[in-house]
Amino acid sequence: MAFGPDFSWLKRFFPRGLYGRAALILFLPVVTVTLVVSVMFLQRHFDGVTRQMTASMARELGFVAARVEQAVNAPAALLAGQAVAVPLGLSVDLPAAPNIDDDRIFYDFSGRVVIEELRHTLPQVMGIDLASDEKRVRITMNGPFGPYLLSFDRSRVSASNPHQLLVLMLFTSLLMSGIATIFLRNQLRPIKRLARAAEEYGKGRVVPYRAVGATEVRSAGTAFLDMRNRLERSNEQRKLMLSGISHDLRTPLTRLRLGLSMLSPDLPTDQPEIDAMTADVDEMSRMVGAFLDYSRDEAQEGPPVATEALPFLRGLVADAQRAGQKVRLAGVEGPEDGRVTFRPDMLRRAIENLIGNAVRYGDHAEVDAALAPRSLRISVEDDGPGIPELQMDEAMRPFTRLDPSRNQNRGQGVGLGLSIAADVARAHGGQLRLVRGVRLGGLRAEIVIPR
């Protein structure tokens, strides 16, 4: 239930595009400030100037009125008034038609100040006409010999209209608005490119895109590229997984089919044949389990939680030792209660795969860790034959077996251990690095993730 007035109808009058809204945010304050300055400051300024000029003019009019009132008759009053008014730039008409109304044009804002100031200063004023002639001020005065008329130029009581200032303000505003529009378009262009790249990728097309623009836009572009690369890598690995399944299962299935074709209902089954077929079934079960583990890692289930990293690693190594693996914790660096945010199940599976590979291709393995203020590094090193430096990138691809460098007779792997560890590290914003071990001389795998 909604309370208060509903202003949703206002949305129809606002632009829907980002460019239009940004322009509105930019130009609306400029227009508002210009109007406020023009109406408040300029109007008050010119009202004050007009009031000062009118007060000075009222003293001259009062001097003329005093000379008229001191005359003995109407002709003498006219001559006395003209003798003073003409040198002051005034004109006197006596007698004059009586006028008791004030008249000005509706947009003549300074005329209001002129009328107000003259009536306040001169009690003899009967009416002030500012509308008959915009360039003249006509004042009907009440004298001892009847009404008389005083007139003078309007410029003597009103400051000239600020046309130059207004034109300058308008020109400057338009110029600055044009420059701001150019900068605004340059800032919005990377956002449009990002939106186009995301839209095209949603349609299954990959268009070239480079993260440029402001820091926030560049950060969003980098995040999009990381997401797109991760999805592309996931699609590629899914294709590799399907091809790996078809390739790796073909051999045991062929052996199993051949063994079944050689069975005869009339002859007893040999135990060696049964053992061979059972081994084939176990091998296929192991391969399917490895594929399922890999797919589960790709799903990245479970939210990250803040975990004490070093106790987590000690427990993991202890579990591996209880399972009979020859692995030991070589050393740890950092605070014991230091916490790192990660997915415990995924990181455990990655390290278990690294330990499994290490003890499979070597006699024993060592694990060490370093907890820095900004990152966590976990290393697993073995004393096996290692991997040639030129093949280390290839070794992290799924379903890759490097037979010349890693003796596969030591274990039955399907080429997913390093790939799972690399994907887990990337899922946490880190990386997996493979280098030559210094202490044991074999392969050293390092997982580095940010805290």
Side-chain angles (χ1 to χ4, degrees):
M1 182 176 181
F3 297 94
D6 184 14
F7 296 101
S8 59
W9 57 273
L10 289 175
K11 295 181 179 180
R12 298 195 301 268
F13 300 97
F14 288 94
R16 296 183 178 272
L18 180 61
Y19 188 85
R21 293 186 177 185
L24 181 64
I25 294 173
L26 177 64
F27 297 137
L28 184 60
V30 175
V31 174
T32 303
V33 170
T34 303
L35 291 177
V36 169
V37 171
S38 301
V39 175
M40 300 298 295
F41 176 76
L42 294 180
Q43 185 63 35
R44 287 185 179 182
H45 173 71
F46 282 100
D47 282 355
V49 173
T50 300
R51 192 175 300 276
Q52 294 177 6
M53 297 175 66
T54 304
S56 299
M57 193 66 204
R59 287 191 289 269
E60 298 180 7
L61 295 174
F63 181 66
V64 175
R67 297 299 298 270
V68 171
E69 292 176 358
Q70 293 174 1
V72 295
N73 53 37
L78 178 60
L79 292 175
Q82 290 178 345
V84 178
V86 172
L88 294 177
L90 304 175
S91 60
V92 182
D93 294 325
L94 194 157
N99 181 18
I100 60 174
D101 295 328
D102 297 333
D103 193 11
R104 67 180 179 88
I105 304 176
F106 70 94
Y107 58 81
D108 186 5
F109 298 105
S110 61
R112 174 182 54 82
V113 180
V114 172
I115 295 175
E116 179 182 347
E117 186 65 24
L118 290 177
R119 282 197 170 274
H120 175 73
T121 306
L122 300 174
Q124 302 94 334
V125 173
M126 298 179 60
I128 302 174
D129 183 13
L130 303 177
S132 299
D133 188 354
E134 294 184 6
K135 296 183 179 181
R136 298 284 294 179
V137 177
R138 299 167 61 86
I139 304 175
T140 302
M141 305 287 286
N142 185 20
F145 309 106
Y148 60 96
L149 181 66
L150 296 177
S151 62
F152 53 89
D153 290 338
R154 175 67 183 271
S155 60
R156 299 185 64 179
V157 293
S158 296
S160 60
N161 293 328
H163 297 299
Q164 295 181 354
L165 180 59
L166 294 177
V167 171
L168 180 61
M169 290 179 59
L170 179 61
F171 175 76
T172 305
S173 300
L174 292 177
L175 178 61
M176 292 297 102
S177 299
I179 296 176
T181 302
I182 296 175
F183 279 100
L184 181 62
R185 183 177 59 183
N186 292 336
Q187 293 300 320
L188 294 180
R189 186 178 300 158
I191 300 179
K192 292 183 178 180
R193 291 177 179 174
L194 175 59
R196 177 177 175 273
E199 183 180 2
E200 292 296 325
Y201 187 69
K203 298 177 181 178
R205 296 187 291 267
V206 178
V207 298
Y209 174 75
R210 183 170 59 91
V212 295
T215 302
E216 294 80 5
V217 179
R218 188 174 302 179
S219 177
T222 303
F224 167 74
L225 290 177
D226 293 340
M227 179 195 68
R228 188 173 72 176
N229 293 337
R230 188 177 295 118
L231 291 176
E232 289 296 317
R233 185 171 59 252
S234 177
N235 292 333
E236 180 183 358
Q237 291 174 351
R238 187 177 295 108
K239 295 177 183 178
L240 290 174
M241 184 179 68
L242 294 176
S243 63
I245 291 175
S246 61
H247 179 271
D248 292 344
L249 293 182
R250 186 178 294 114
T251 299
L253 284 175
T254 302
R255 292 198 304 263
L256 188 60
R257 185 181 297 108
L258 180 61
L260 291 175
S261 65
M262 296 179 64
L263 294 179
S264 174
D266 299 332
L267 298 176
T269 304
D270 295 336
Q271 187 63 33
E273 294 179 357
I274 296 177
D275 294 341
M277 287 187 288
T278 301
D280 290 336
V281 172
D282 292 339
E283 182 181 358
M284 289 188 292
S285 177
R286 178 181 53 80
M287 291 181 180
V288 171
F291 296 144
L292 292 178
D293 289 340
Y294 180 75
S295 300
R296 183 170 60 249
D297 290 331
E298 281 292 299
Q300 300 180 3
E301 297 178 354
V305 295
T307 308
E308 294 183 353
L310 300 185
F312 168 81
L313 183 61
R314 286 193 177 92
L316 196 152
V317 174
D319 293 342
Q321 291 173 346
R322 284 194 299 270
Q325 296 177 327
K326 295 181 180 180
V327 58
R328 74 180 186 89
L329 188 61
V332 294
E333 299 177 6
E336 188 68 21
D337 58 348
R339 290 180 173 268
V340 181
T341 302
F342 56 84
R343 297 179 176 88
D345 293 339
M346 290 183 62
L347 189 60
R348 172 181 288 272
R349 187 175 300 115
I351 299 175
E352 287 177 348
N353 284 332
L354 294 180
I355 294 176
N357 282 348
V359 299
R360 179 182 299 119
Y361 301 113
D363 293 330
H364 66 280
E366 292 184 355
V367 179
D368 62 87
L371 183 59
R374 301 178 61 88
S375 63
L376 169 66
R377 175 184 57 80
I378 301 175
S379 303
V380 179
E381 185 176 344
D382 61 53
D383 59 349
I387 297 177
E389 185 176 357
L390 296 178
Q391 293 182 320
M392 286 184 177
D393 291 337
E394 182 183 355
M396 289 187 288
R397 294 172 58 86
F399 311 104
T400 299
R401 301 188 183 98
L402 304 177
D403 294 341
S405 60
R406 307 282 276 181
N407 184 10
Q408 198 173 346
N409 294 329
R410 299 289 299 274
Q412 299 295 327
V414 296
L416 289 175
L418 293 178
S419 177
I420 291 176
D423 288 340
V424 169
R426 281 192 292 263
H428 288 84
Q431 62 177 338
L432 172 66
R433 298 183 301 207
L434 301 180
V435 296
R436 171 66 64 175
V438 178
R439 294 194 306 270
L440 303 181
L443 179 67
R444 181 179 177 87
E446 297 180 346
I447 292 181
V448 181
I449 60 175
R451 295 189 65 176

